[in-house]
DNA sequence: GGAATATCGAGAAAACGGTATCGATAAATC
DNA sequence: GATTTATCGATACCGTTTTCTCGATATTCC
């Protein structure tokens, strides 16, 4: 194996890795110690050689006839994805959706901990939601700055998203995870990940529409 | 333009179309009547010729030097994605996440209406959540069957997801929108769309990890 | 009315990701 | 110890998606 890292994994690979991790986790809990590409591929409905390519990015090498060391592989994925050390995040927009994210424990296990929530609604500010304190929007910049928080999560209405993003960037956040249906303008060096649920729904509906018209 | 339709649009195109739609909507509200690929591309940070190719799938043709008719294009996207007639959906798992989806009005505007929610928790059953009645899980199959509901949304814990999916399929649902972190086994002909938030987070964290190690 | 220009549409080329093939090797079997 | 077999790793292939290039055309401006 030559000098790894440096070459970043393609995005489709990154998106599959959590699935591998979850599967390996269940195998580990079942007491297994090794695992083959073939078995992973079968369980996840993927191509074995594709799985092998993905796993190669983590730097782990397997043994013919045996497969990979289960724990070694799992931990390699975890560290490759940056799940080993926990990064702090703030969430802005403590509505229904933001609340769901606040209460989702899995994020912490995946290296991201939401440490504070923000909102403009006076009746929310000062409350605790899912164990996290809701602060006034005014305090957003200072909180990010003084605690050096790298991740900002946006779950405000779309109209407010750009302003929130600007504050986050200005305060030094390095990555933004945006759930609002808005195109955000951020500087080149900011990592921006936009989750567009409606896009996923569009794939589903259009398949359904094709199917319906075929009948 | 030859016989359109028949050839399904590639998935990346489908995922971009909602973004175009949203942008066109804002232009329409601003009183514009035509729009060019160039302007769309600039606003959404995409390649103009790529945008042109995407739009071609809707069957709309533009005029040189002018662009496309804004409303015509917007409506073509809407109908192409199957947003014109509303399809009914049921949601299973009325927890924090399910509740957020239940209250999200945008889905209805995008052709999907959640008509009922289901849960196993006795204190939830019988309640109204976000204006929708929560029914007992036992009633799931019958509801789908008698009302011919095409879409099932799964927001239960991962462990319960497969069982819920089985019930949905058995009752005649045509598409499943799954938010639980589980690999679902469904028959070939079922449309399955899996939203894995952790995969999106993985892209973000790994970029952050790369960035951190580069410093 | 003619020249200039922005924009579309179509087809070619390139890049990317996914799939298949093949040799190598470690374990298992005989 | 030789043979068989499962599995890895590398390479080559293929399809899809993106990017590039070109010609056509409607509008604008002179
Ligand atoms: N609910 C869903 O299922 C869902 C799904 C996908 C995307 N989204 C998107 O997520 C966002 C939130 O959705 P929701 O359903 O939770 O809406 P919501 O109305 O329940 O919550 C929005 C919250 O943001 C707060 N807010 C408004 N302006 C703000 C500002 N400038 N700064 C800080 N906070 C502000 C509001 O007080 C409110 O608490 C929306 O953009 C929505 O489109 C929601
Ligand atoms: N909360 C989030 O931000 C988030 C994000 C991504 C994915 N998810 C996934 O969405 C799912 C729900 O998350 P949540 O945070 O709402 O959890 P939750 O615990 O708040 O809600 C789960 C709900 O499902 C119900 N339930 C349990 N078993 C059921 C069954 N067999 N049939 C019907 N209902 C059943 C429970 O009573 C509960 O109301 C989980 O799989 C979670 O991993 C959640």
């Amino acid at each position: 194996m030559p000098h790894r890292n440096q070459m970043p994994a393609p995005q489709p690979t990154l998106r599959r890795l959590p699935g591998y991790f979850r599967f390996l986790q269940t195998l580990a809990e079942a007491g297994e110690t090794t695992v083959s590409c073939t078995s992973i591929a079968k369980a996840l409905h993927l191509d074995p050689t594709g799985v092998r390519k993905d796993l190669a990015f983590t730097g782990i090498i397997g043994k013919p006839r045996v497969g990979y060391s289960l724990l070694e592989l799992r931990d390699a994925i975890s560290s490759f994805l940056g799940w080993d050390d926990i990064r702090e995040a703030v969430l802005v927009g403590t509505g229904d959706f933001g609340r769901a994210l606040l209460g989702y424990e899995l994020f912490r296990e995946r290296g991201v901990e939401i440490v504070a929530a923000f909102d403009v609604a006076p009746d929310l500010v000062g409350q605790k939601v899912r164990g996290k304190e809701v602060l006034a929007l005014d305090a957003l910049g200072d909180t990010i700055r003084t605690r050096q928080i790298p991740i900002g999560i946006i779950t405000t209405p779309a109209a407010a998203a750009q302003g929130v993003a600007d504050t986050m960037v200005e305060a030094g956040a390095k990555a933004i995870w945006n759930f609002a249906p808005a195109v955000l303008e951020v500087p080149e060096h900011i990592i921006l990940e936009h989750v567009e649920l409606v896009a996923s729904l569009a794939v589903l509906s259009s398949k359904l529409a094709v199917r319906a018209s075929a009948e």
Side-chain angles (χ1 to χ4, degrees), chain A:
Chain A
M1 156 85 14
H3 43 285
R4 27 168 335 288
N5 215 345
Q6 206 59 338
M7 175 170 141
Q11 180 149 327
T13 294
L14 290 176
R15 302 188 73 89
R16 282 187 296 267
L17 286 173
Y20 302 150
F21 182 91
R22 197 188 322 130
F23 178 64
L24 297 180
Q25 193 73 18
T26 64
L27 286 189
E29 280 159 14
E32 299 287 325
T33 58
T34 60
V35 66
S36 73
C37 284
T38 341
S39 57
I40 298 178
K42 202 170 295 170
L44 274 59
H45 301 133
L46 296 169
D47 182 78
T49 85
V51 174
R52 215 170 289 136
K53 264 189 177 159
D54 288 341
L55 297 183
F57 281 98
T58 67
I60 290 299
I61 57 176
K63 279 200 289 195
R65 181 74 206 220
V66 176
Y68 300 88
S69 156
L70 181 50
L71 297 182
E72 203 185 348
L73 183 56
R74 185 197 61 183
D75 296 345
I77 293 176
S78 174
S79 99
F80 187 77
L81 291 176
W83 289 353
D84 281 356
D85 33 28
I86 292 187
R87 294 172 211 282
E88 294 189 326
V90 291
L91 181 143
V92 181
T94 318
D96 283 337
F97 198 82
R99 211 163 307 192
L101 297 185
L102 276 179
Y104 198 39
E105 313 85 16
L106 198 56
F107 290 150
R108 191 170 201 290
E109 293 172 35
R110 297 299 177 264
V112 173
E113 178 166 23
I114 305 176
V115 294
F118 293 84
D119 209 292
V120 282
D123 53 322
L124 278 174
V125 175
Q127 301 262 314
K128 279 217 163 192
V129 169
R130 301 287 176 271
K132 267 105 180 188
E133 210 171 348
V134 181
L135 306 174
L137 189 59
D138 310 333
L140 175 61
D142 277 347
T143 306
I144 293 177
R145 223 182 326 265
T146 61
R147 300 185 59 170
Q148 303 230 37
I149 293 174
I151 302 175
I153 305 175
I154 299 179
T155 51
T156 64
Q162 182 64 57
V164 171
D166 290 343
T167 307
M168 287 173 170
V169 169
E170 196 267 325
K174 294 180 169 53
I176 291 178
W177 201 16
N178 174 42
F179 292 87
V183 179
L184 298 183
E185 307 286 339
V186 295
E188 189 71 33
H189 64 278
I190 300 291
I191 297 161
L192 177 62
E193 182 71 16
H194 181 187
V195 177
E196 179 103 50
L197 282 198
V198 168
S200 163
L201 189 58
V203 175
L204 190 150
S205 331
S206 86
K207 284 184 187 169
L208 217 38
V210 168
R211 217 190 108 126
S213 74
E215 272 162 14

